[in-house]
Amino acid sequence: MIVLKSDDEIKKMAESCRIVAEVLEGIKGNVSPGIATKEIDAYAESFILSKGAKPAFKGYRGYPASVCASINEQVVHGIPSLTKLREGDIISLDIGVYYKGFYGDAAVTLPIGKISERAEKLLTVTKKALQAGIENAVIGKRLSDISSAIQTRSESEGFSVVRNFVGHGIGRELHEEPQIPNFGRPGEGPELMEGMTLAIEPMVNAGGWEVIILKDGWTAVTKDRSLSAHFEHTVAITKDGQNVLTKL
Ligand code: MF3
Ligand code: CO
């Protein structure tokens, strides 16, 4: 069942989403070569706690950290570690926050220093794919219009979209219905309605779409070890258009 939110509930969600946006903004200004992903996790966690909020991922199905930090060929769910970022890496940072009864969820992929042209292109295209998905999150369209826009935008540049992970509804739960695949034909699935709150999150690979999970049980990497990028926003569908709640 898709849970529709009232304007009042969306206002509350905006508060948890704002904390997510602030953490990501804080990290953006501070990542550089030599920083360990565990340090990013510690920064994010203390920021979230200082706002009286809770990190949404920590303890979720046993996930051990507040942030997912996925470097280069890692697609999603990389566990923060003592691994230090190096010039030329790309790192996806995915953050969830729980505040006053509601969840917020967003991700960005950041360049570390100077990165290759191909990596640069992958980041640009994945960000544009998210934007294309968000543009389709309007009353009267269908759910798969979002999916299809993301796929088309990504594949038109020769990249591929990951099939094994999806975006999702979000609200009083981190994962609500509907699932939002990043591929599909347009015009299918539920009609988009006022009050839907969606975490839209394209994961785009420079090579093939297949992923495998490492032995830690979490880290997803591209099967061909090609680079992967991930951008995510929590978006509310309103009568006045889409409200991107995790945007500062
Ligand atoms: N943005 C991802 C999601 O919504 C992150 C989940 S990580 C987990 O599904 F650790 F919480 F599983
Ligand atoms: Co998500």
Side-chain angles (χ1 to χ4, degrees):
M1 189 191 49
I2 298 174
V3 184
L4 301 178
K5 282 79 176 179
S6 66
D7 287 348
D8 221 52
E9 288 172 308
I10 290 172
K11 258 191 210 141
K12 285 193 192 144
M13 260 184 89
E15 294 183 42
S16 62
C17 288
R18 184 174 175 82
I19 297 170
V20 173
E22 287 174 350
V23 185
L24 286 172
E25 193 59 29
I27 294 171
K28 262 185 217 169
N30 285 297
V31 287
S32 54
I35 292 179
T37 50
K38 242 185 194 304
E39 295 175 68
I40 298 173
D41 187 63
Y43 165 83
E45 182 166 318
S46 66
F47 184 95
I48 292 165
L49 294 174
S50 79
K51 298 284 178 181
K54 275 206 222 153
F57 300 163
K58 200 165 192 172
Y60 180 83
R61 296 188 181 197
Y63 186 74
S66 298
V67 169
C68 297
S70 311
I71 303 171
N72 297 335
E73 76 284 358
Q74 299 177 353
V75 179
V76 286
H77 303 162
I79 300 173
S81 72
L82 296 173
T83 304
K84 291 186 163 116
L85 297 175
R86 292 181 306 192
E87 175 97 18
D89 284 345
I90 58 171
I91 180 170
S92 137
L93 294 161
D94 189 351
I95 299 197
V97 161
Y98 182 71
Y99 185 65
K100 294 187 182 167
F102 289 94
Y103 286 91
D105 187 2
V108 293
T109 302
L110 302 175
I112 303 304
K114 187 162 172 45
I115 61 173
S116 70
E117 238 170 76
R118 185 148 175 83
E120 200 78 69
K121 177 107 187 271
L122 180 66
L123 298 198
T124 306
V125 168
T126 309
K127 204 186 287 185
K128 284 196 174 149
L130 171 58
Q131 208 47 51
I134 291 171
E135 276 162 22
N136 279 274
V138 291
I139 297 170
K141 291 214 182 217
R142 300 283 206 97
L143 186 72
S144 81
D145 293 332
I146 297 174
S147 310
S148 165
I150 289 171
Q151 180 178 23
T152 305
R153 197 71 190 72
S154 307
E155 291 182 352
S156 69
E157 307 283 349
F159 297 136
S160 65
V161 287
V162 171
R163 261 84 159 147
N164 321 49
F165 299 100
V166 293
H168 50 94
I170 180 169
R172 291 186 189 274
E173 305 290 338
L174 175 61
H175 295 135
E176 298 185 353
E177 286 181 33
Q179 294 197 349
I180 312 171
N182 292 305
F183 63 98
R185 289 186 305 188
E188 295 175 352
E191 197 176 310
L192 299 178
M193 284 185 283
E194 177 179 355
M196 284 185 178
T197 42
L198 308 174
I200 302 175
E201 47 179 322
M203 290 144 266
V204 178
N205 298 346
W209 61 266
E210 296 90 345
V211 306
I212 58 167
I213 308 293
L214 297 185
K215 284 201 200 77
D216 63 17
W218 280 103
T219 314
V221 302
T222 53
K223 197 173 167 207
D224 59 12
R225 300 302 195 266
S226 64
L227 290 177
S228 184
H230 176 210
F231 284 84
E232 175 178 24
H233 270 308
T234 296
V235 178
I237 299 181
T238 79
K239 345 185 229 330
D240 310 315
Q242 55 288 78
N243 187 352
V244 183
L245 300 176
T246 41
K247 204 170 200 160
L248 270 189

